[in-house]
Amino acid sequence: PYTFNDFDGGVTTVIANPHSEGINTSANVAQQVRDGGQFWGGSWILLDDYLDFTTNNTFQMKVYSPAADVPVLLKLEGDNPDIKVSQTLNTTVANEWEVLTYDFSGEPSDTYLKLVFIFNMGTTGTGETYLFDDVEFIAGSSVNGINRNSLTVYPNPVTDVFVLGNDLQIKTLNIYNIIGQRVNIERISENSFDVSKLAAGLYTINAVDQNNN
């Protein structure tokens, strides 16, 4: 078993599954408690070897959150903490197990040796508890049934308004800055969003359609 290393207000332990139901009837699960510390508090594990992206490129994990729309950050790190890549996905249901899928296609092999887990990234914890289990590294060319290559954001880069393509019916869309904090934007039509008030920089988009993909 892997050892969880906690930092800055996140504490992760392995406990008996308090919600053995639905898609997850495992006997034991990981529990992360966010209480005080920093808004980036979480936990990390050291893998047995560097990740090989030759065949696999996607992480899936089951999560259980007390609320929907909670950002869950998964970060890959190398020996040097400056070597890193991360993705943030939001939970879509409360008090129910669901699967989050993180697509790291295009990342180099033999680079990343750590997995970092941060629940409710961007917010200082006040004792909230989150569960996760069955973290798997798998092959995958799509995210929840949507072809990743068919998703388009244009223009990119953008200075004022961008449009999310692929004929998606967007239910919710969140944007995160480079340190994982959610930023405010204005939705001006079905798939058009105004980001003119954001500072210049790199941002990550997390969109959920009407089918909760």
Side-chain angles (χ1 to χ4, degrees):
Y2 293 104
T3 299
F4 286 102
N5 302 271
D6 305 321
F7 60 91
D8 295 329
V11 177
T12 300
T13 54
V14 176
I15 64 169
N17 187 355
H19 301 287
S20 180
E21 59 199 33
I23 63 171
N24 191 12
T25 57
S26 298
N28 299 306
V29 298
Q31 171 186 267
Q32 184 169 115
V33 178
R34 293 286 315 281
D35 194 6
Q38 302 294 334
F39 63 78
W40 58 79
S43 305
W44 59 270
I45 60 173
L46 181 66
L47 302 175
D48 296 328
D49 201 355
Y50 290 97
L51 291 170
D52 183 353
F53 289 90
T54 304
T55 301
N56 298 334
N57 55 24
T58 298
F59 279 93
Q60 285 188 337
M61 67 176 177
K62 296 173 183 174
V63 301
Y64 189 103
S65 169
D69 204 30
V70 171
V72 183
L73 180 144
L74 177 64
K75 179 165 61 172
L76 315 181
E77 283 190 0
D79 293 317
N80 183 333
D82 291 333
I83 301 174
K84 58 190 176 183
V85 62
S86 66
Q87 289 189 19
T88 302
L89 299 177
N90 280 33
T91 60
T92 63
V93 295
N95 300 315
E96 182 180 335
W97 286 102
E98 66 176 317
V99 176
L100 296 183
T101 302
Y102 299 80
D103 190 340
F104 288 98
S105 297
E107 290 301 321
S109 297
D110 302 322
T111 301
Y112 306 111
L113 195 60
K114 296 179 182 178
L115 296 184
V116 183
F117 306 89
I118 304 177
F119 282 79
N120 210 9
M121 173 65 178
T123 302
T124 301
T126 56
E128 298 85 359
T129 298
Y130 307 94
L131 306 176
F132 61 106
D133 193 24
D134 294 338
V135 180
E136 297 180 293
F137 187 41
I138 62 173
S141 59
S142 63
V143 178
N144 293 336
I146 300 175
N147 189 322
R148 185 175 185 267
N149 294 327
S150 68
L151 291 172
T152 57
V153 177
Y154 57 91
N156 186 15
V158 58
T159 56
D160 45 24
V161 175
F162 74 85
V163 177
L164 191 63
N166 197 44
D167 297 324
L168 296 176
Q169 291 183 305
I170 300 300
K171 182 169 68 175
T172 61
L173 182 138
N174 293 298
I175 293 185
Y176 300 88
N177 61 22
I178 198 169
I179 61 173
Q181 294 174 308
R182 185 163 52 186
V183 297
N184 293 322
I185 61 171
E186 181 182 356
R187 185 172 190 164
I188 58 179
S189 68
E190 178 70 20
N191 283 20
S192 300
F193 303 86
D194 185 351
V195 293
S196 59
K197 296 180 181 179
L198 298 184
L202 297 175
Y203 294 87
T204 300
I205 295 174
N206 176 32
V208 178
D209 68 11
Q210 296 297 328
N211 297 317
N212 289 325
N213 292 319

